[in-house]
Amino acid sequence: MDPGSVVEGVGAGQAALPLTGVPEPLWAASPSKLLAFLDCPRRYRLQYLDRPSPEKRRQRAHTSVGNAVHHALRDWWDLPERRPDAGAGLVDRAWIDVGFRDAAQSAQWRGRMREAVTGYLADVDPARQPVGVERTVSFVSGELRLTGRVDRLDDRDGELVVVDYKTSRVVPTADDARTSLPLALYAAAVWKMFRRRTLRVELHHVPSGTVVGHEHTPESLARKVEQARSIARDARRADRDHAEKGADSELFPPRPGPLCGWCDLRAHCPEGQLAGPEKSDWAALDDADDRKEPRWTSE
């Protein structure tokens, strides 16, 4: 099966809209928006629907670390001379002291990421220009218009490969690459936009230099696109109910659990506050912290 047929909305088990009557506008989403609804409808409502938008807590340290590394790896491709050690200076330029316990912890992690980015870039061919760096991709399937951003898009032997950088303490596995909904949706979008076969997706863990990947099939990509459409249908139905009832809608139940300790909006969710203590700004950097990080922090 060509995933392009599903992306186009043909062959996905959905009848064409009748010619009489006005078709509904496309429902716009990103992979993070879909996962937010899937993980916790209450958080989804707070983030995407409630107005005025409730205030979020300040950025955590692991987000500051991840942003600096992503920006450094993006800007490296713009350098006139792409040396691995130049990555350290790019980390310095992108670094912000937000979320750390103190200046000493920030300096420690800044040094770690300087070394990590330099080591990672030592294995990157500077002459092999990617097809895209932080490239925005999108596709339409049925009533869903999905948009996302790919960290890096490589050309290997005539096929395109989706590369996603990771900076968390936990090293990803090949199963993480296989099951990732965002990676599969990026691959489907790239195939549609570039009209080139795109089946391989990879997670590059910068701190360890670990690279894990998965080779999708057209059928497995099509299943991921259909999964996204199913989530989108449920979310859109909830959106309509919220438009009518506001915060009184019952379609946004909280899902209390370990992720509540990481939620940026827990101050507005009584159930989430009762689920357990809030994680500190720097908790994800603590090797002694046995935790489960939310999926939305590492996208």
Side-chain angles (χ1 to χ4, degrees):
M1 178 186 296
D2 180 356
S5 66
V6 179
V7 168
E8 292 289 345
V10 178
Q14 176 176 330
L17 290 168
L19 294 179
T20 60
V22 180
E24 285 192 281
L26 295 173
W27 190 77
S30 63
S32 59
K33 184 177 181 180
L34 294 173
L35 290 179
F37 185 80
L38 190 64
D39 287 337
C40 180
R42 172 69 58 77
R43 179 180 181 274
Y44 169 89
R45 192 203 80 198
L46 291 168
Q47 180 173 354
Y48 293 101
L49 300 181
D50 284 0
R51 295 296 180 269
S53 299
E55 183 178 359
K56 293 184 179 180
R57 74 182 313 283
R58 77 168 188 165
Q59 181 171 288
R60 285 187 166 89
H62 66 275
T63 302
S64 298
V65 170
N67 287 345
V69 170
H70 278 74
H71 292 163
L73 295 176
R74 175 198 65 193
D75 295 343
W76 189 74
W77 293 101
D78 294 329
L79 297 178
E81 187 177 353
R82 299 166 181 165
R83 303 187 319 274
D85 58 351
L90 294 175
V91 170
D92 288 340
R93 189 170 74 182
W95 197 261
I96 55 172
D97 293 308
V98 175
F100 298 94
R101 179 177 56 241
D102 50 34
Q105 187 186 48
S106 175
Q108 177 190 34
W109 278 88
R110 182 174 175 177
R112 287 188 184 183
M113 292 305 104
R114 282 169 54 90
E115 294 179 4
V117 169
T118 299
Y120 173 79
L121 289 173
D123 293 326
V124 175
D125 183 354
R128 196 169 187 174
Q129 180 72 33
V131 175
V133 176
E134 291 205 359
R135 173 62 190 260
T136 297
V137 296
S138 64
F139 67 75
V140 172
S141 181
E143 296 177 359
L144 171 64
R145 182 178 76 241
L146 186 129
T147 302
R149 187 171 60 187
V150 177
D151 288 341
R152 197 175 86 210
L153 189 58
D154 288 350
D155 185 342
R156 301 184 199 164
D157 301 322
E159 295 191 7
L160 299 181
V161 178
V162 171
V163 173
D164 191 53
Y165 301 130
K166 294 298 178 189
T167 59
S168 65
R169 180 174 63 89
V170 179
V171 179
T173 67
D175 197 51
D176 293 324
R178 178 185 65 84
T179 60
S180 171
L181 178 62
L183 286 182
L185 297 179
Y186 296 152
V190 168
W191 191 333
K192 172 65 171 62
M193 289 181 62
F194 289 84
R195 300 188 182 279
R196 293 175 61 183
R197 187 177 176 90
T198 309
L199 293 173
R200 183 164 181 80
V201 298
E202 292 181 349
L203 296 172
H204 290 205
H205 188 249
V206 179
S208 67
T210 300
V211 174
V212 295
H214 177 69
E215 196 80 19
H216 275 285
T217 65
E219 291 78 14
S220 68
L221 285 186
R223 287 193 295 271
K224 289 293 189 180
V225 172
E226 185 53 43
Q227 180 187 355
R229 291 175 58 176
S230 176
I231 299 170
R233 285 191 290 270
D234 290 341
R236 188 169 199 170
R237 183 163 51 250
D239 288 0
R240 293 193 188 102
D241 198 62
H242 181 271
E244 179 182 343
K245 302 176 184 176
D248 291 332
S249 172
E250 298 180 355
L251 299 185
F252 301 92
R255 291 182 180 159
L259 293 180
C260 294
W262 300 96
C263 184
D264 293 340
L265 294 162
R266 63 176 275 136
H268 310 280
C269 179
E271 295 87 349
Q273 295 173 42
L274 293 174
E278 183 175 19
K279 297 292 184 178
S280 70
D281 287 357
W282 55 88
L285 305 182
D286 186 354
D287 291 342
D289 182 30
D290 183 15
R291 75 196 188 289
K292 179 180 179 182
E293 287 186 53
R295 290 187 287 187
W296 58 78
T297 65
S298 55
E299 267 194 81

